[in-house]
C-alpha cells in the first residue's frame, strides 16, 4: 500500500507540474513529441504576411531573420508570457472533412507572436485562457485547410527547430543599457537563459526584457562580446567573440554554431 501511495503522490506531482508549465511541453533530447495535443487554428493577415511581422517576441522582419511565413501567434496558455517564443510545432488539420485539405499532412511553424485575449463576452474568443490556439499566417493555414473555413480543429506537437546558419544576436540600446535579441535558434528554439561576457569582464547574467529580447545594464562598449545561451531543454552553447570590439548598436552578429 505504501508503494502505491508513493507512486500516486509522484503521479499527482507530475500532473501539477505539467499544468503549471502550460502546454508548451519541453523538448526531450532533441526529439519530436510523441503525443499530439488538441487545439484550434485560424489565420491573420493576407498571403503577403505583412501583418505577421514584428510582434510580441521581439522579432522584426521575419523574412530577413529566416522565419518567413512559417510562423504563428500563440494563445495565452501556449505563449507562457513569451517564454515559448522560438519554439517549433507541427500542426495538422483534423476532424473537419468539410474544410481540411485531404492528405495535407503537417506544417511546421515557429512561435513568433502572441494572440492576445479578448475579454468582451463572446463564445468564440479562441485566444482566451484556457484555449490552446495557433494564429497562423494565411499562407500556412491554407496548406492545411480552405481559407473560408475561418477556424479549424488541429492536433499539435513540439518538434526540434531546424535553422540555417548560426544563432544570431541583434544588439540595441545605449552604452548603459544593452539588449540582445537572440534568434535563429535551432533545437528547442526557445531560449531560457543568456549570459554575456565582454573581453574585459566576467560572465554577466542577462535578464529577459520581453519575448526573446535579453538585457544588461553593464557598459561593455568597446569590448568584444561572447554569449552563453541555454535553451529550454537545458542545452547550453558558448559563442565566443560573436561581436568584435568595434560592434555597433542596431547591427546583428552571427555565431558559428547552432543547437
Amino acid at each position: 500500500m505504501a508503494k502505491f501511495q508513493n507512486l500516486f503522490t509522484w503521479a499527482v506531482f507530475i500532473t501539477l507540474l505539467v499544468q503549471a508549465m502550460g502546454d508548451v511541453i519541453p523538448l526531450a533530447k532533441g526529439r519530436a513529441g510523441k503525443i499530439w495535443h488538441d487545439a484550434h487554428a485560424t489565420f491573420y493577415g493576407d498571403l503577403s504576411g505583412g501583418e505577421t511581422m514584428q510582434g510580441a517576441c521581439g522579432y522584426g522582419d521575419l523574412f530577413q531573420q529566416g522565419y518567413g511565413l512559417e510562423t504563428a501567434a500563440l494563445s495565452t496558455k501556449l505563449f507562457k508570457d513569451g517564454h515559448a517564443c522560438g519554439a517549433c510545432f507541427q500542426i495538422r488539420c483534423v476532424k473537419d472533412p468539410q474544410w481540411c485539405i485531404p492528405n495535407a499532412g503537417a506544417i511546421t511553424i515557429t512561435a513568433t507572436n502572441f494572440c492576445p485575449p479578448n475579454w468582451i463576452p463572446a463564445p468564440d474568443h479562441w485566444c482566451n485562457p484556457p484555449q490552446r490556439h495557433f494564429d497562423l499566417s494565411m499562407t500556412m493555414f491554407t496548406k492545411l485547410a480552405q481559407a473560408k473555413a475561418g477556424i479549424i480543429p488541429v492536433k499539435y506537437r513540439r518538434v526540434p527547430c531546424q535553422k540555417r546558419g548560426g544563432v544570431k544576436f541583434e544588439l540595441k540600446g545605449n552604452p548603459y543599457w544593452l539588449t540582445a535579441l537572440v534568434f535563429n535558434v535551432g533545437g528547442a528554439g526557445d531560449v531560457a537563459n543568456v549570459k554575456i561576457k565582454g573581453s574585459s569582464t566576467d560572465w554577466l547574467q542577462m535578464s529577459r526584457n520581453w519575448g526573446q529580447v535579453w538585457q544588461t545594464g553593464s557598459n561593455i562598449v568597446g569590448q568584444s562580446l561572447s554569449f552563453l545561451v541555454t535553451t529550454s531543454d537545458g542545452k547550453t552553447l558558448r559563442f565566443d567573440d560573436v561581436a568584435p570590439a568595434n560592434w555597433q548598436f542596431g547591427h546583428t552578429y552571427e555565431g558559428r554554431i547552432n543547437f
Side-chain angles (χ1 to χ4, degrees), residues 152-168:
I152 54 172
V154 299
K155 292 278 190 180
Y156 76 94
R157 66 174 180 172
R158 183 79 179 271
V159 295
C161 298
Q162 306 294 330
K163 305 301 179 187
R164 294 182 179 180
V167 172
K168 298 180 181 181

Side-chain angles (χ1 to χ4, degrees), residues 24-27 59 80 82-89 158 161 185-193 208 212 214 229-234:
V24 183
I25 307 300
L27 194 65
Y59 304 123
K80 294 179 60 184
H83 290 256
C85 291
C88 294
F89 301 87
R158 183 79 179 271
C161 298
V185 181
D190 50 344
V191 175
N193 192 54
R208 189 189 301 271
Q212 286 303 352
W214 298 78
V229 177
T230 302
T231 46
S232 65
D233 58 352

